[in-house]
Amino acid sequence: MPPEWEFDLLDTSQRNYFLLLDDQIPVATLRYQLKNETCFQPDRFCVAKAYRKQGIGRSLLFKAEQVAKNNGCRLSYLVAELTAQSFYEGCGYRSCTSPFEEDGILCIGMEKIL
């Protein structure tokens, strides 16, 4: 996805983010909001290429889910690129929509009971 597409109307000072640093170098990030009172919605989730396949993304997602659960959320819903579907399945998500295109990228809606 081109960098200029990464920012949208949800990027405000009131938005919630997780950021993982390795000696001041950004390694992974995740933005989230509530879809409703009990549904956590992570998005803009990424791990720097050099840090992938080390469990960092899974750990960051689980940490964010735990915070959401502690704040009363019972469900997590996200939109995944089809290329990341197996990653999210490995994190306990299941597909809940048919594939669709978002910003020119083939995606799928996925959910997980927290």
Side-chain angles (χ1 to χ4, degrees):
M1 179 177 285
E4 60 271 12
W5 290 5
E6 285 295 333
F7 299 98
D8 60 22
L9 297 175
L10 295 178
D11 289 306
T12 67
S13 60
Q14 291 81 37
R15 192 62 46 215
N16 299 300
Y17 298 89
F18 282 88
L19 174 64
L20 180 64
L21 300 171
D22 179 15
D23 196 27
Q24 302 301 314
I25 298 169
V27 170
T29 186
L30 181 148
R31 179 180 77 178
Y32 70 95
Q33 56 276 330
L34 295 180
K35 186 173 173 79
N36 60 47
E37 284 184 9
T38 60
C39 185
F40 170 70
Q41 185 173 9
D43 66 2
R44 297 298 198 259
F45 178 38
C46 68
V47 176
K49 227 176 219 183
Y51 291 86
R52 292 180 187 163
K53 306 235 186 258
Q54 298 176 35
I56 292 169
R58 181 182 306 267
S59 294
L60 182 61
L61 182 58
F62 286 164
K63 176 64 176 172
E65 290 170 348
Q66 189 60 52
V67 168
K69 187 174 180 178
N70 291 344
N71 286 308
C73 290
R74 298 292 162 243
L75 183 72
S76 179
Y77 171 82
L78 57 82
V79 173
E81 293 182 19
L82 277 186
T83 57
Q85 183 177 358
S86 63
F87 167 79
Y88 289 110
E89 288 171 343
C91 292
Y93 283 79
R94 65 176 184 80
S95 301
C96 62
T97 71
S98 297
F100 58 92
E101 193 173 302
E102 185 173 280
D103 295 327
I105 299 168
L106 202 52
C107 298
I108 193 158
M110 302 187 80
E111 63 185 9
K112 175 182 179 180
I113 295 174
L114 299 176

